[in-house]
Amino acid sequence: MVAQSCIYSSPLQKAIDRYPLTVTPETPLVDVLKQMSMLQRSCEIPVNTLTNGKIHESPLSKQAKATSVLIVEQKYVEEDQKYNAQSSFLLGIFTVSDLVKLIATGKVGNLSNLSENVKIKEVMSSNFVTLKESDDQDLFTALFLFRQHKISHLPVLDSMGQIVGVVTPERIRQVLQPSNILSSRRVNEVKNDSFTVTTPETTSLLEVSKLMSDQQVNSVIVTQNKKNQTQRTEIDKPVGIITTDDIAQGYYINMSLATTPVKKVMKTPLNCLKQTDSLWDAHKKMLHEQVEILIVCGKQGEFLGTVNQTSLLQVLDPTVMFGLVRKLRKDVNQLQAEKFELLRTINAQLEKEVQARTAEIQAQLERDHLLAKIALRIHQSLDIDEIINAVVTEVKQFLKTDRVVLFQVETAKVAKIVAESVEKNCNSWMGETISSECLMSNLNMNQNTIQAVSDITQTDSSTEKITELKEKQVKAWLIVPISQDGQLWGLMCTQEGSGIREWQQSEIDLLKQLATQLAIGIQQAQLYQQVQTLNTDLEKQVQDRTAELQQKVRELQQLNILKDDFLSTVSHELRTPLSNMKMAIHMLKVFPVSERGKEYLNILDTECKREIKLITDLLDLQRLEGGTELIPIDTIDLASWLPTMIDPFKSRVREREQTLKVKCSKKLPKIISNNHSLSRILAELLNNACKYTQNGGEIKFSVESNQKKSSKKNLKEVPSTIKFMISNPSEIPESELPKIFNKFYRVPNADPWKQGGTGLGLALVKKLVEQLNGNILVTSSNGWTTFTVELPT
């Protein structure tokens, strides 16, 4: 019988297969093998119990295959006369390894010919090892029994001797995953090399089963002898693996074990490991590949041994773990001692480094403070003398030196001392003009090169030069060049007159930074002086230019007056003959003339009107550009005014079969503007829209008013601006849009109907809109052009 499932907390409880395959002693061996065969081929079938050859289904199995069968003695409970599975007592066990031994010794033939007279009790193992289920039993007890008795199936019994289940190394490995221990151990430590059996791939399955039986192993490695090309030696390279389960599977399907070579049923490809791999990697690979044994190979692919579940679990042996713990404890103690000594040494070293670093940081802070102080004074002053005197004074105080001299190289041969700071016991060099060649020679100074000399007697200078320098109270020096735009401006010379001095790198870096700041300050001061000079010159030039411009303005004003007089005269002189021509044309139309004569009169009348409009537009545009004329202000009621302005165009669009769509707000406001100017603006835009729209086209005219709330308590809405939008289906190229408001400009190829024009209409419209304090915008895309006029109300 099978024990009832429950919740198990300990690893041993979780590792027990509580639904093993159980049979009675009288069950025929052929039925047992058939049932094991069926379980071998499926991992999701119910566990079955064989009783007198009949199959009884039990709860679902939690194992993938049946590798063992328990032979039990069944009892009945007298109280209720019912069969109780928990009253089964173990009599023996039969495993796949037992089947392979039977095959190897020839005690069983083919499965299909196996006699039902052979009972399972005749071939079962009666000398079996069991494990009592109790609180003091754990996984280590099971591992010890596996290793001691060299078994792979361990029945578990309760305190009454009844069957609880079966434990196998595979089940233990699945529930126990000590990653820390397995990760620290390597494959090389547990691989089986002396106890591994190998065979060629031509060996028959029957011979392999005999090997397994004789050597008492559950697997055989199939190898192939190959030549090592690099070392020219022969190596055994693993090509496959065969286990007792494979022998059993071949037997279940009635395969001829005596004639079938292992290469036909061996498992490939192999799951190989390296010796340096961790046991945790091996464990994960077994789970992933669902295998119970892995091959260990060398660098050339040669066979080195195997790792199976038992060898993996060896590392969990209490004695092995105790040795590991003791070694780790010893290593930890040694590491702690070494760590303590190392920490003591590092601490002492760090203390010295901290002190040195603290002193270095303190010195750096002082240098930074000095640099910032001098930089501030340089940038705050635009006087060169003040800047250079401040620098030499601060440098002498900070470096505690005897003399700091600033030379300015005026020419290739002359250097002048422009600033100096000296101690009281030192002679002053101020006021001396020194030859640049002498300076460079005496101080051993090359242009744009930093020179640091701690003792002049240790230089390559001659005795005369050393004597000359000593007379000038110079025994050590540090010279830094000051350059502007790649040219040498001067030299900053720091001198020690009392004795030798070792110049520190930090002191050299400080003077280099100060030289850079000083060069910037000098350049700023020079630029300031140049700017001051330029300002004086510019003021004079501005005054002269202003006088010239005033004279030009007066001349232009005079010319403007003359222009206005000329236009007025020309306007009068042009209008008089045109008026007479118009009157004559009108009189000629009264008298009867021929058809050709009427045609000529119409041409004369049209051209006369065109000439009058051109002159009128020119004069109006000139007057608007002058900006001197005041326009009258009218109150325009758009609701009644717009129809009178739009109606004349309706007849014109009908002549050309065009459509004029008018869209206005329901409540149009009254606006304050000039009636004549607004009419002329809209008429010109509508006239252009009609002119440049093909016959049958559509013209859109819309009016919108933007409202804003008043600040009064009634929050009455009052109009802010009014927009007039006129659109027609004619597109203007984007490159031409900025030019359309220029005088006399017409868009090329925009008038296919040759209706003519002067190019003054849009220029006049723009001026009129500006006179009304409005804006005009034009957009053209997707075959449409829209003019928007926005005016204040």
Side-chain angles (χ1 to χ4, degrees):
M1 284 258 338
V2 180
Q4 298 294 327
S5 62
C6 58
I7 298 176
Y8 309 105
S9 57
S10 69
L12 178 61
Q13 296 290 334
K14 295 177 182 178
I16 297 175
D17 176 12
R18 297 180 179 271
Y19 305 99
L21 179 62
T22 58
V23 298
T24 60
E26 300 298 325
T27 304
L29 175 62
V30 62
D31 291 341
V32 174
L33 294 179
K34 287 180 180 180
Q35 183 61 14
M36 291 179 68
S37 170
M38 183 172 63
L39 288 178
Q40 283 275 355
R41 300 176 192 176
S42 174
C43 60
E44 294 184 355
I45 62 173
V47 173
N48 302 288
T49 303
L50 294 177
T51 307
N52 296 326
K54 296 181 180 180
I55 299 176
H56 299 280
E57 292 190 0
S58 301
L60 292 178
S61 172
K62 296 184 181 179
Q63 62 182 23
K65 54 188 178 181
T67 58
S68 65
V69 177
L70 300 183
I71 295 87
V72 298
E73 180 183 9
Q74 300 169 348
K75 294 183 178 181
Y76 294 92
V77 180
E78 297 181 357
E79 287 80 3
D80 51 9
Q81 296 298 318
K82 292 181 180 179
Y83 174 72
N84 187 343
Q86 294 184 353
S87 59
S88 299
F89 294 90
L90 184 63
L91 298 179
I93 185 170
F94 183 80
T95 67
V96 173
S97 297
D98 295 328
L99 173 61
V100 173
K101 290 179 182 179
L102 294 177
I103 295 172
T105 55
K107 292 183 179 180
V108 294
N110 290 338
L111 183 63
S112 57
N113 298 327
L114 189 60
S115 173
E116 292 190 0
N117 295 326
V118 180
K119 306 300 182 182
I120 188 65
K121 66 180 180 180
E122 300 174 15
V123 295
M124 69 180 184
S125 297
S126 301
N127 186 19
F128 52 85
V129 181
T130 61
L131 177 67
K132 291 291 185 179
E133 183 185 38
S134 62
D135 295 338
D136 58 349
Q137 300 288 13
D138 53 22
L139 285 177
F140 298 113
T141 304
L143 294 175
F144 176 77
L145 293 174
F146 284 140
R147 187 176 65 257
Q148 181 183 19
H149 299 283
K150 297 182 180 180
I151 58 177
S152 58
H153 295 80
L154 183 63
V156 182
L157 307 178
D158 62 11
S159 59
M160 303 299 295
Q162 299 178 5
I163 298 174
V164 175
V166 178
V167 176
T168 63
E170 181 181 8
R171 298 278 299 190
I172 292 178
R173 186 177 55 82
Q174 290 175 355
V175 300
L176 185 61
Q177 300 182 2
S179 59
N180 292 335
I181 297 176
L182 294 180
S183 297
S184 63
R185 305 295 295 274
R186 300 297 152 192
V187 168
N188 188 45
E189 301 177 37
V190 299
K191 67 180 176 66
N192 300 317
D193 44 14
S194 57
F195 299 102
T196 303
V197 180
T198 61
T199 187
E201 57 185 354
T202 56
T203 307
S204 68
L205 294 179
L206 183 60
E207 292 174 346
V208 171
S209 65
K210 292 179 180 179
L211 276 175
M212 292 180 178
S213 178
D214 295 340
Q215 302 294 331
Q216 294 185 354
V217 295
N218 294 328
S219 61
V220 173
I221 308 304
V222 182
T223 59
Q224 190 177 48
N225 191 270
K226 291 189 176 182
K227 274 191 176 183
N228 186 348
Q229 298 296 332
T230 57
Q231 300 179 0
R232 296 184 179 181
T233 58
E234 293 185 352
I235 60 173
D236 289 333
K237 191 170 183 178
V239 295
I241 185 172
I242 189 163
T243 65
T244 54
D245 291 341
D246 300 324
I247 302 294
Q249 286 284 7
Y251 177 77
Y252 293 152
I253 61 175
N254 292 321
M255 183 181 292
S256 176
L257 302 182
T259 60
T260 303
V262 293
K263 66 179 181 181
K264 287 190 176 182
V265 296
M266 66 183 181
K267 291 185 176 65
T268 57
L270 294 175
N271 296 285
C272 295
L273 294 171
K274 295 183 294 185
Q275 295 190 89
T276 55
D277 289 342
S278 69
L279 296 183
W280 181 245
D281 293 333
H283 166 70
K284 291 190 294 184
K285 183 171 285 191
M286 283 185 182
L287 289 178
H288 181 265
E289 304 294 341
Q290 295 184 352
V291 295
E292 299 177 6
I293 187 169
L294 297 172
I295 307 297
V296 182
C297 296
K299 295 181 179 179
Q300 304 297 327
E302 68 274 16
F303 175 70
L304 298 178
T306 61
V307 173
N308 55 26
Q309 297 179 111
T310 304
S311 58
L312 272 182
L313 295 175
Q314 283 179 1
V315 299
L316 303 179
D317 185 279
T319 57
V320 176
M321 292 181 65
F322 177 76
L324 178 62
V325 170
R326 185 169 57 183
K327 183 178 181 302
L328 289 175
R329 184 177 298 170
K330 181 179 179 181
D331 293 342
V332 168
N333 292 334
Q334 183 179 355
L335 287 174
Q336 285 181 341
E338 293 176 355
K339 178 181 177 182
F340 177 77
E341 181 62 25
L342 180 62
L343 287 175
R344 189 183 64 78
T345 305
I346 292 176
N347 187 45
Q349 183 179 356
L350 283 176
E351 286 181 358
K352 294 180 180 179
E353 292 180 359
V354 167
Q355 292 175 357
R357 185 59 179 162
T358 302
E360 183 181 346
I361 292 174
Q362 183 65 30
Q364 182 64 41
L365 289 175
E366 292 177 358
R367 292 193 296 271
D368 292 343
H369 177 70
L370 173 64
L371 186 62
K373 181 180 178 182
I374 294 177
L376 180 61
R377 294 189 64 175
I378 289 174
H379 293 300
Q380 285 180 342
S381 175
L382 294 174
D383 185 278
I384 293 180
D385 293 336
E386 182 181 349
I387 292 172
I388 58 180
N389 283 296
V391 170
V392 295
T393 301
E394 294 292 346
V395 170
K396 187 184 76 67
Q397 291 179 357
F398 183 79
L399 296 182
K400 295 180 177 59
T401 188
D402 294 329
R403 182 189 292 114
V404 178
V405 183
L406 190 63
F407 296 92
Q408 181 181 3
V409 180
E410 294 183 339
T411 65
K413 296 183 179 181
V414 178
K416 181 178 66 172
I417 298 176
V418 293
E420 180 190 46
S421 179
V422 296
E423 286 293 324
K424 294 180 180 180
N425 58 347
C426 291
N427 299 328
S428 175
W429 290 14
M430 195 65 188
E432 296 184 12
T433 301
I434 303 175
S435 169
S436 297
E437 296 178 356
C438 176
L439 176 66
M440 301 300 179
S441 175
N442 285 344
L443 300 182
N444 195 19
M445 178 65 195
N446 295 323
Q447 187 176 3
N448 294 331
T449 303
I450 296 174
Q451 184 68 235
V453 175
S454 59
D455 186 359
I456 60 173
T457 61
Q458 301 300 320
T459 63
D460 296 334
S461 301
S462 64
T463 305
E464 292 79 6
K465 291 180 181 179
I466 293 174
T467 302
E468 183 182 356
L469 288 171
K470 287 182 177 180
E471 290 176 354
K472 289 182 173 292
Q473 296 178 317
V474 177
K475 293 185 179 180
W477 69 77
L478 174 59
I479 303 175
V480 177
I482 302 171
S483 301
Q484 287 184 351
D485 299 327
Q487 299 296 324
L488 183 64
W489 181 90
L491 301 169
M492 184 188 298
C493 182
T494 304
Q495 303 170 2
E496 194 69 34
S498 58
I500 64 173
R501 176 165 179 169
E502 295 291 340
W503 303 100
Q504 303 298 319
Q505 185 61 42
S506 59
E507 297 173 338
I508 298 174
D509 294 339
L510 174 64
L511 288 188
K512 285 171 59 178
Q513 293 176 342
L514 284 176
T516 302
Q517 293 292 335
L518 182 57
I520 295 172
I522 293 172
Q523 189 173 29
Q524 287 179 344
Q526 291 173 341
L527 290 175
Y528 176 73
Q529 291 176 355
Q530 294 174 6
V531 169
Q532 290 295 95
T533 305
L534 290 174
N535 282 341
T536 304
D537 296 340
L538 284 174
E539 285 180 2
K540 188 176 182 306
Q541 292 179 13
V542 167
Q543 291 175 358
D544 295 342
R545 188 59 178 164
T546 301
E548 293 177 5
L549 290 175
Q550 289 175 349
Q551 180 62 28
K552 292 290 184 182
V553 168
R554 287 193 292 270
E555 293 175 1
L556 289 173
Q557 289 175 347
Q558 186 64 29
L559 287 174
N560 193 41
I561 293 172
L562 292 175
K563 182 192 68 173
D564 292 340
D565 293 342
F566 172 75
L567 287 174
S568 178
T569 302
V570 169
S571 172
H572 178 72
E573 295 300 327
L574 288 175
R575 285 178 182 274
T576 300
L578 286 173
S579 299
N580 293 335
M581 290 172 59
K582 188 175 182 181
M583 179 61 69
I585 292 170
H586 177 70
M587 293 304 294
L588 287 173
K589 286 184 177 181
V590 174
F591 296 97
V593 292
S594 63
E595 290 297 327
R596 183 174 294 274
K598 288 181 180 180
E599 183 178 351
Y600 291 151
L601 286 175
N602 287 334
I603 293 174
L604 286 173
D605 188 31
T606 301
E607 293 302 319
C608 184
K609 291 179 180 178
R610 181 179 176 187
E611 192 70 20
I612 292 172
K613 185 177 185 305
L614 173 59
I615 294 171
T616 303
D617 289 347
L618 276 172
L619 294 174
D620 290 345
L621 188 59
Q622 184 63 32
R623 187 176 64 255
L624 289 170
E625 288 179 345
T628 57
E629 182 182 2
L630 296 176
I631 59 172
I633 299 301
D634 305 320
T635 300
I636 303 174
D637 186 0
L638 292 178
S640 59
W641 178 81
L642 279 176
T644 61
M645 197 279 301
I646 296 174
D647 287 342
F649 290 93
K650 292 183 178 179
S651 59
R652 179 173 176 178
V653 298
R654 283 196 296 270
E655 291 176 1
R656 297 187 59 185
E657 299 180 353
Q658 295 170 339
T659 303
L660 177 60
K661 287 190 175 182
V662 181
K663 180 181 178 182
C664 301
S665 302
K666 294 182 179 180
K667 294 182 179 181
L668 290 175
K670 293 180 180 181
I671 64 173
I672 307 300
S673 188
N674 181 265
N675 191 345
H676 174 72
S677 298
L678 182 58
S679 298
R680 194 162 184 183
I681 292 169
L682 298 181
E684 186 67 33
L685 294 176
L686 284 170
N687 181 57
N688 282 350
C690 295
K691 183 190 297 185
Y692 297 109
T693 300
Q694 62 181 357
N695 293 348
E698 180 182 81
I699 301 168
K700 298 178 182 179
F701 177 80
S702 60
V703 184
E704 296 179 359
S705 61
N706 297 329
Q707 305 290 329
K708 68 178 182 179
K709 291 187 177 181
S710 173
S711 59
K712 296 180 181 180
K713 293 182 179 180
N714 56 9
L715 298 179
K716 181 181 178 181
E717 290 188 353
V718 294
S720 175
T721 60
I722 192 79
K723 284 185 181 179
F724 302 92
M725 288 170 287
I726 299 169
S727 305
N728 69 302
S730 176
E731 187 171 350
I732 301 174
E734 185 177 357
S735 60
E736 302 295 329
L737 288 177
K739 309 174 187 177
I740 62 174
F741 292 107
N742 296 341
K743 289 186 291 186
F744 302 107
Y745 182 79
R746 301 189 66 202
V747 178
N749 303 321
D751 186 10
W753 303 281
K754 306 300 180 183
Q755 301 178 80
T758 63
L760 293 174
L762 290 178
L764 185 60
V765 166
K766 183 173 178 62
K767 289 295 180 181
L768 289 171
V769 171
E770 291 174 353
Q771 189 182 44
L772 297 178
N773 298 324
N775 295 316
I776 182 169
L777 301 173
V778 59
T779 58
S780 186
S781 61
N782 299 325
W784 281 79
T785 299
T786 301
F787 285 87
T788 302
V789 177
E790 185 175 11
L791 299 175
T793 58

